[in-house]
């Protein structure tokens, strides 16, 4: 249902073994809270991203539950320790059942 | 009633000398942006173009008047929410939207082919002799070359495309023509700029020329430059085009506003752009 949804992530290209790096993610999404009403008084149905996860080589780095109070275009910044090269996988779960994914590789410098 | 009284009081205060009002210099800072291709530094302060020599020495990007947090958002493309709209514009650019499957990319190749355009538009089109906004160029392709209904001047599709096209000229110097075929339009825009509108009887110049640096309803008044447009406005969590900003500012004088794309606002956009000749194209920038 949500239109124009677009995930973006920023991950350093490389890290030293054991280094803690910062990851930034943003997804364009209206995050309709389900609390607002239309001009005709009817409730606008809730439509939010309700969960976000990040995995590194299949191991969960962060698993976030998002609530209706989170504003438009949720931005999530967090840290991860890199022990080996591989892929970061980012997943956003939409109320409407859509799942958005992005993958970014990291190498050991 | 109370509201109206205080607004009128503000109008009077602005009309007269602003003794005792808070004033703050444009913040001294350098706008260096982290991009995917390394850093670029913007010219955000420049000598005023010759046509303004009687009224000011220096022109400043609106970036200098925003608070530290808002300024910082524009210093890293990832933190700049406007980039989402650039990405969306890119998707539309590559999509087969036309009646017969035409896409912008099909004729123009990569959006980089538009580099430099934002810096010189609005301009008078050589072939038609008409003053063209970027929106007019886009719509001429949408209607004549893709067989579609014109996009709304302030529609999402239009603003995504404005964001994408402006982005291609980022860091280039604004240099719209004010002479030759542009002269009559520019004169008209200039006249509008100095005309008082609305119940508050305020001209653009009363705020953005006489009072930049002052605070108005806790907003730090800038010179009203449009080198940063389209902007991502935190207030709307969305993209605002220069036409929309001009409409908003006329409306704030409690006037009946001109329409987006009207002859008046086209001329005004050209004139306002020319007041920023010498600054970098910053679009997509971030504003409160």
């Amino acid at each position: 249902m949500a239109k124009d949804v677009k995930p973006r992530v920023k991950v350093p290209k490389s890290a030293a073994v054991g280094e803690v790096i910062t990851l930034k993610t943003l997804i364009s999404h209206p995050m309709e809270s389900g609390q607002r009403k239309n001009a005709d008084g009817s409730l606008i149905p809730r439509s939010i991203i309700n969960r976000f996860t990040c995995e590194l080589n299949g191991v969960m780095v962060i698993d976030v539950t998002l609530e209706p109070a989170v504003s438009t275009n949720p931005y999530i910044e967090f840290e991860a320790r890199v022990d080996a090269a591989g892929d970061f996988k980012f997943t956003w779960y939409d109320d409407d059942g859509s799942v958005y994914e992005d993958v970014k590789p990291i190498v050991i410098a | 009633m109370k509201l109206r009284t205080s607004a009128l009081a503000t109008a009077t205060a602005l009309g007269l000398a602003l003794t005792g009002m808070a004033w703050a210099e444009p913040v001294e800072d350098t706008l260096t942006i982290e991009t995917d291709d390394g850093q670029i530094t913007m010219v955000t302060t420049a000598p005023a173009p010759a046509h303004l020599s009687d009224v000011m020495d220096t022109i400043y990007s609106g970036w200098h008047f925003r608070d530290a947090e808002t300024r910082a958002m524009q210093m890293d493309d990832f933190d700049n929410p406007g980039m989402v709209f650039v990405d969306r514009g890119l998707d539309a650019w590559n999509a087969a939207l036309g009646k017969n499957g035409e896409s912008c990319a099909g004729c123009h190749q990569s959006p980089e082919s538009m580099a430099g355009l934002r810096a010189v538009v609005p301009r008078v089109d050589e072939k038609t002799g008409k003053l063209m906004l970027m929106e007019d160029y886009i719509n001429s392709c949408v209607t004549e070359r893709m067989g579609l209904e014109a996009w709304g001047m302030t529609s999402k599709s239009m603003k995504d495309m404005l964001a994408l096209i402006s982005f291609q000229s980022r860091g280039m110097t604004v240099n719209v023509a004010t002479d030759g075929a542009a002269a009559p339009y520019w004169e008209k825009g200039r006249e509008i700029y100095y005309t008082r509108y609305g119940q508050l009887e305020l001209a653009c110049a009363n705020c953005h020329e006489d009072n930049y640096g002052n605070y108005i309803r806790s907003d730090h008044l800038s010179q009203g430059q449009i080198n940063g447009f389209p902007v991502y406005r935190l207030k709307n969590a969305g993209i605002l085009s220069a036409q929309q900003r001009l409409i908003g500012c006329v409306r704030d004088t409690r006037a009946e506003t001109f329409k987006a794309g009207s002859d008046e606002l086209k001329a005004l956009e050209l004139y306002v752009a020319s007041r920023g000749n010498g600054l970098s194209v910053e679009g997509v920038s971030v504003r409160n």
Side-chain angles (χ1 to χ4, degrees), chain B residues 28 61 104 141 214:
Chain B
E28 258 191 58
S61 157
C104 317
C141 285
N214 282 318

Side-chain angles (χ1 to χ4, degrees), chain B residues 9-220:
Chain B
T10 317
T12 319
L14 278 162
L16 305 171
L18 280 144
T19 39
M21 245 181 129
W23 195 85
E25 289 277 355
V27 180
E28 258 191 58
D29 200 351
T30 304
L31 177 53
T32 298
I33 303 180
E34 294 288 338
T35 76
D36 284 349
D37 312 313
Q39 293 187 334
I40 43 172
T41 297
M42 300 283 158
V43 175
T44 54
T45 303
H51 68 87
L52 290 180
S53 61
D54 287 348
V55 293
M56 54 180 65
D57 299 328
T58 309
I59 51 174
Y60 300 97
S61 157
W63 180 78
H64 283 285
F65 297 82
R66 308 287 39 103
D67 64 24
E69 229 175 76
T70 310
R71 288 203 308 282
M73 288 180 92
Q74 205 186 316
M75 297 173 82
D76 184 333
D77 279 352
F78 196 84
D79 296 337
N80 180 342
M83 294 306 153
V84 169
F85 300 83
V86 172
D87 286 352
R88 267 170 33 178
L90 184 60
D91 288 346
W93 179 270
N94 291 319
L97 301 173
K99 207 168 168 204
N100 297 311
E102 303 92 338
S103 68
C104 317
C107 292
H108 294 289
Q109 279 77 47
S110 105
E112 278 136 52
S113 62
M114 295 287 149
L117 195 61
R118 176 74 277 171
V120 296
V121 168
R123 74 164 175 217
V124 175
D125 189 73
E126 277 180 20
K127 283 172 217 150
T128 62
K130 283 197 203 145
L131 179 62
M132 302 288 277
L133 299 180
M134 191 65 80
E135 288 91 329
D136 298 320
Y137 276 116
I138 294 170
N139 259 339
S140 69
C141 285
V142 167
T143 58
E144 292 161 29
R145 301 189 174 99
M146 300 173 89
L148 302 173
E149 292 274 316
W151 288 351
M153 286 299 278
T154 59
S155 61
K156 268 190 180 181
S157 321
M158 182 60 85
K159 291 194 288 175
D160 291 351
M161 198 52 78
L162 288 179
L164 175 70
I165 294 179
S166 298
F167 180 74
Q168 310 306 321
S169 300
R170 213 161 50 144
M172 296 182 181
T173 307
V174 178
N175 186 22
V176 295
T178 60
D179 54 356
Y185 298 106
W186 184 81
E187 286 294 346
K188 180 176 174 179
R190 182 174 190 281
E191 192 189 315
I192 295 174
Y193 196 89
Y194 287 98
T195 301
R196 289 173 181 264
Y197 287 103
Q199 290 180 320
L200 301 187
E201 293 188 45
L202 288 170
C204 314
N206 294 131
C207 285
H208 293 297
E209 184 172 292
D210 304 339
N211 281 301
Y212 71 85
N214 282 318
Y215 280 83
I216 179 168
R217 286 195 284 180
S218 84
D219 216 346
H220 197 190

Side-chain angles (χ1 to χ4, degrees), chain A:
Chain A
M1 215 197 84
K3 277 167 59 192
D4 303 322
V5 177
K6 204 158 176 66
R8 304 174 75 219
V9 297
K10 186 171 178 180
V11 178
K13 290 190 176 61
S14 63
V17 174
E19 189 182 343
V20 175
I21 59 166
T22 299
L23 299 98
K24 297 177 175 183
T25 74
L26 185 152
I27 187 160
S28 60
H29 196 284
M31 297 295 278
E32 189 59 58
S33 69
Q35 311 273 358
R36 301 197 307 157
K37 286 181 178 161
N38 269 327
D40 65 12
S42 61
L43 216 54
I44 306 174
R46 178 181 130 158
S47 167
I48 68 168
I49 297 285
N50 57 50
R51 182 179 178 213
F52 165 75
T53 62
C54 170
E55 292 159 54
L56 174 54
N57 297 330
V59 179
M60 195 64 85
V61 174
I62 190 171
D63 185 346
V64 185
T65 304
L66 287 87
E67 303 290 351
V70 174
S71 63
T72 313
N73 306 337
Y75 174 95
I76 300 174
E77 181 177 325
F78 53 96
E79 292 178 339
R81 199 183 69 226
V82 180
D83 290 324
D87 288 323
F88 278 106
K89 184 173 163 211
F90 305 87
T91 316
W92 293 259
Y93 298 85
D94 196 309
D95 273 352
D96 68 7
S98 312
V99 175
Y100 313 101
E101 283 180 357
D102 203 349
V103 174
K104 289 277 182 236
I106 185 139
V107 300
I108 297 299

